[in-house]
């Protein structure tokens, strides 16, 4: 056993990742420069979101609905 801090829990790891994600996105929004998804390595996610179609009937975003 070590006297160092214990290994972070899964929740702590998730929170750290979310903090980093939000800091990157907010910095890009504040400065208006670059693309945060590219910096985070999420280009594929960006492309998927641009072409996303809901697969839940009645979600209100189906083509032809207003």
């Amino acid at each position: 056993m070590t006297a160092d801090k214990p290994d972070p829990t899964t929740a702590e790891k998730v929170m750290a990742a979310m903090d980093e994600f939000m800091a990157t996105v907010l910095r890009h929004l504040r400065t208006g420069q670059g693309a945060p998804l590219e910096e985070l390595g999420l280009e594929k996610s960006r492309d998927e979101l641009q072409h996303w179609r809901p697969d839940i009937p009645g979600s209100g975003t189906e083509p032809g609905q207003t």
Side-chain angles (χ1 to χ4, degrees), residues 7 15-16 23-24 26-27 29-30 40 42-43 51-52 54 58 60 63 65-66:
D7 289 338
M15 290 300 295
T24 301
L26 291 174
R27 184 179 72 249
L29 289 174
R30 186 174 57 249
L40 292 166
L42 299 174
E43 296 91 0
H51 303 292
W52 179 77
Q65 287 190 350
T66 57

Side-chain angles (χ1 to χ4, degrees), residues 51-64:
H51 303 292
W52 179 77
R53 292 279 188 193
D55 58 353
I56 302 171
S59 65
T61 56
E62 296 168 356

Side-chain angles (χ1 to χ4, degrees), residues 20-59:
E20 180 181 351
F21 174 80
M22 290 303 298
T24 301
V25 170
L26 291 174
R27 184 179 72 249
H28 281 274
L29 289 174
R30 186 174 57 249
T31 62
Q33 298 176 346
L37 294 180
E38 289 178 12
E39 181 177 327
L40 292 166
L42 299 174
E43 296 91 0
K44 183 178 180 190
S45 297
R46 180 193 63 210
D47 293 340
E48 289 175 359
L49 284 173
Q50 287 178 345
H51 303 292
W52 179 77
R53 292 279 188 193
D55 58 353
I56 302 171
S59 65

Side-chain angles (χ1 to χ4, degrees), residues 1-8:
M1 292 178 67
T2 63
D4 297 337
K5 294 189 302 186
D7 289 338

